[in-house]
Amino acid sequence: MKSPTSQALALAALSLIAFAIGHLAVVAVYPYRATSMAMDRISQNGAAVNQWRHGQRATGQSRRIVRPSPDLANSSCVYDLATGPVRVTAAPWDGYMSVSVYSANSDNIFVVNDRNAPQGVDMIIYLRGTPRPSGADLVVESPSRRGIVLQRRLAPTAERFAAAAAARASDGCTSLAEQGL
C-alpha cells in the first residue's frame, strides 16, 4: 500500500502534467480560434472574402466595452489564398495611414504606412511554398492560406472621414485569379 505522502505527490504530479498539457493546448489553439472568429465576423461567414469591408465612423455608442478610436477610418479584408495570390491596394492619403497583414494565428506579418508608401499601397500577398509573384511594389509571404488585412486612416473630423471614405472607395483586395492574372 502506498503512503499518503506518495499518493499526494503522484496526484500533484498528475495535476501538474494535466495543467501543462491544457495550457499548451490553449496557447497553441487560441490564436487560431480567435482569428478564425474575427475572419468569420469580418467576412460575414465567408460571404465577403478578398474584398474590403469599410467601417463606419466610430462614436461613443459604437461598442459597449472596447471602443474603437473615433479618429480612425478602419477597413478590413479577409484574404484567402486558395485560388492564388491576392492584390491589396490603398490609395494615397495625406495623413497617417497604415496597412497591416495578419496570418491565421493572429501574427502581424507585415505593416506599411504612409511614410513608407506615400504614393499609396500596391501589394501582393502569396502563400509560403508557392511561386513568388511579381507585378507589385510590395510582395508579402503569408504562412497561412487565410488571414486579415487591416487599413487605418487618420480621420479625426467628419470632413476627414468623408475624404477617407472617398479615398478608400478605389482600394482593392482581390484575388489575382479573379482579375484574370
Side-chain angles (χ1 to χ4, degrees):
M1 185 162 149
K2 294 184 179 182
S3 72
T5 303
S6 64
Q7 287 179 339
L9 287 173
L11 181 59
L14 285 174
S15 297
L16 187 59
I17 291 169
F19 174 78
I21 290 170
H23 174 74
L24 290 174
V26 168
V27 168
V29 172
Y30 179 76
Y32 290 96
R33 182 68 184 129
T35 304
S36 177
M37 289 170 49
M39 287 188 287
D40 287 346
R41 188 175 57 250
I42 292 167
S43 71
Q44 298 175 334
N45 292 317
V49 174
N50 296 336
Q51 58 184 287
W52 284 114
R53 309 274 303 152
H54 304 297
Q56 300 298 314
R57 188 155 193 246
T59 67
Q61 289 73 40
S62 294
R63 302 239 173 50
R64 290 192 340 210
I65 298 173
V66 177
R67 293 197 170 102
S69 171
D71 293 341
L72 296 175
N74 294 300
S75 299
S76 53
C77 171
V78 173
Y79 67 86
D80 189 338
L81 305 173
T83 61
V86 169
R87 172 171 254 130
V88 175
T89 59
W93 185 242
D94 61 355
Y96 174 77
M97 175 184 72
S98 70
V99 177
S100 305
V101 182
Y102 296 86
S103 64
N105 69 345
S106 78
D107 282 353
N108 185 331
I109 59 173
F110 185 79
V111 177
V112 64
N113 65 31
D114 58 287
R115 291 182 182 178
N116 307 112
Q119 306 307 318
V121 174
D122 181 16
M123 145 179 36
I124 294 177
I125 305 170
Y126 76 103
L127 184 60
R128 180 180 293 155
T130 63
R132 180 184 172 91
S134 60
D137 296 334
L138 303 166
V139 179
V140 177
E141 180 185 84
S142 175
S144 59
R145 182 178 62 88
R146 296 181 72 218
I148 301 173
V149 182
L150 297 180
Q151 177 193 125
R152 298 171 186 90
R153 294 175 193 260
L154 183 61
T157 65
E159 294 78 23
R160 290 297 288 164
F161 193 89
R168 63 189 183 175
S170 65
D171 295 348
C173 184
T174 56
S175 167
L176 292 181
E178 292 172 14
Q179 295 177 350
L181 301 174

